[in-house]
Amino acid sequence: MTEMRYTTLGRTGLEVSRFCLGCMNFGSEQPWMMNDRDASVDLIHEALDAGVNFLDTANVYSSGESEEIVGDAVASANRDELVLATKVYGDMRDGPNGGGLSRKHVLDQCEASLDRLGVDYVDLYQIHRWDETTPIEETLAALDALIESGRVRYVGASTTTAYRLTKALYTSDLEDYGRFACVQPEYSAVARHEEANLLTVAEGEGLGVIPWSPLAGGFLTGKYERAADPDEGTRGAASESVRAYFTDENWAVLEAVRAVADEEDATPAQVALAWLLERDVVTAPIVGPKTIEQLRDDLGALEVSLSEEQVARIGAPKVARYPKV
């Protein structure tokens, strides 16, 4: 089995595995999800046995079902070694105050997430989106209260803009609130729009970066072909966001990934993940396997060492590397 490696989350002293297990697939809300609860628990146990100590979920994933499954899986694990991350923002019920980042919703949903996860605290609590209707000062004050109470160890942001992230960091510094320790952007060899924006801020401010969709919804695994429609039952068939990757430019990236995979006797997924691990700004890509075989394949990326030429060849069809600050 691949030997896990660890790093710190941004400028914190928190040690996390170089891969984070994404738990959005655990649940029954969509046909492409893992509908077998026992299989989901087994996959989490396999990840833990492989040395993955970092798990990422959210309250809205299958309306809380993902958190419940994670809670079941980690109940027998050593809590001191786990880094559990979840998120808040999305609507969890109809009616007023059912979503957003108001103090009420943030505090209420943290308690609900703790209950579903079966733990006394979460290691990383992230705002899932930016709330246009709630002042960021209110949200940050609520998150800071959770840190002070011991229910949350660190806070972070997912899917925001460089300006908003900078504003939140400035406000935290000004008001002495707990600062975001990391950011969770979309980032892969075919989704590099944040290199000159959010990632520049993250690098300059010393934030950890835990990219979601590092395999572009499965596109970079090589499961799809340029001249064929996606197979029924795949995310490519069900999701317009995945099919949006099907551009000439992105097919060129995939061709480069496949060529490097042949050179290294690796899979395209391993090469795509290894390419991300070569980015200095990246802490831990969030992988979302649906089988133990896929998990093992993803973790095998740690054994793939790419040359500078190979890294450049994969990146060549896209924009240049984000500038240094």
Side-chain angles (χ1 to χ4, degrees), residues 145-164:
L146 290 172
I147 295 173
E148 290 297 319
S149 71
R151 292 175 174 83
V152 168
R153 297 293 191 258
Y154 301 91
V155 293
S158 173
T159 316
T160 187
T161 65
Y163 165 73
R164 289 166 172 169

Side-chain angles (χ1 to χ4, degrees), residues 18-294:
R18 285 307 312 271
F19 281 113
C20 176
L21 182 65
C23 302
M24 187 178 73
N25 288 334
F26 303 144
S28 54
E29 200 167 58
Q30 299 291 339
W32 47 263
M33 289 180 170
M34 294 182 66
N35 298 312
D36 187 326
R37 196 181 188 99
D38 290 339
S40 299
V41 170
D42 288 344
L43 193 152
I44 295 172
H45 286 165
E46 181 76 15
L48 296 178
D49 289 343
V52 175
N53 73 337
F54 194 9
L55 281 69
D56 178 78
T57 184
N59 60 349
V60 292
Y61 293 164
S62 288
S63 302
E65 189 178 358
S66 172
E67 289 182 324
E68 293 173 352
I69 292 170
V70 171
D72 289 346
V74 304
S76 59
N78 182 351
R79 180 67 182 93
D80 292 341
E81 294 299 325
L82 289 178
V83 179
L84 296 180
T86 191
K87 310 180 194 75
V88 61
Y89 169 78
D91 291 338
M92 292 300 290
R93 60 175 175 78
D94 295 331
N97 301 308
L101 295 177
S102 68
R103 183 180 182 90
K104 175 177 176 58
H105 188 70
V106 168
L107 298 183
D108 288 351
Q109 285 305 307
C110 183
E111 294 297 333
S113 289
L114 291 175
D115 184 60
R116 286 188 290 265
L117 289 165
V119 295
D120 297 325
Y121 68 92
V122 290
D123 299 276
L124 176 62
Y125 201 43
Q126 304 156 100
I127 60 170
H128 210 159
R129 296 290 188 272
W130 187 272
D131 185 354
E132 296 283 1
T133 64
T134 302
I136 189 60
E137 293 83 358
E138 178 179 339
T139 300
L140 293 172
L143 294 173
D144 193 66
L146 290 172
I147 295 173
E148 290 297 319
S149 71
R151 292 175 174 83
V152 168
R153 297 293 191 258
Y154 301 91
V155 293
S158 173
T159 316
T160 187
T161 65
Y163 165 73
R164 289 166 172 169
L165 177 62
T166 303
K167 182 178 180 179
L169 294 172
Y170 172 77
T171 302
S172 293
D173 291 344
L174 187 67
E175 302 295 340
D176 197 28
Y177 294 142
R179 209 170 190 261
F180 289 152
C182 64
V183 65
Q184 186 177 139
E186 179 185 18
Y187 190 30
S188 71
V190 294
R192 299 176 60 185
H193 50 280
E194 296 293 4
E195 287 186 337
N197 300 296
L198 198 66
L199 296 185
T200 302
V201 176
E203 184 175 46
E205 295 294 326
L207 304 187
V209 175
I210 50 176
W212 57 267
S213 201
L215 295 176
F219 177 80
L220 289 169
T221 66
K223 69 166 65 175
Y224 304 115
E225 298 295 337
R226 186 193 292 251
D229 292 332
D231 293 337
E232 289 300 320
T234 64
R235 289 187 67 181
S239 171
E240 291 184 8
S241 63
V242 174
R243 292 194 298 277
Y245 292 116
F246 295 6
T247 66
D248 288 341
E249 189 178 28
N250 290 341
W251 287 118
V253 175
L254 181 57
E255 288 170 9
V257 167
R258 283 172 164 160
V260 172
D262 288 341
E263 295 165 9
E264 296 299 317
D265 192 24
T267 65
Q270 289 172 342
V271 169
L273 292 171
W275 182 88
L276 262 187
L277 291 173
E278 292 286 344
R279 319 309 280 182
D280 292 339
V281 75
V282 170
T283 303
I286 301 172
V287 294
K290 291 192 287 185
T291 67
I292 288 176
E293 290 72 24
Q294 289 176 356

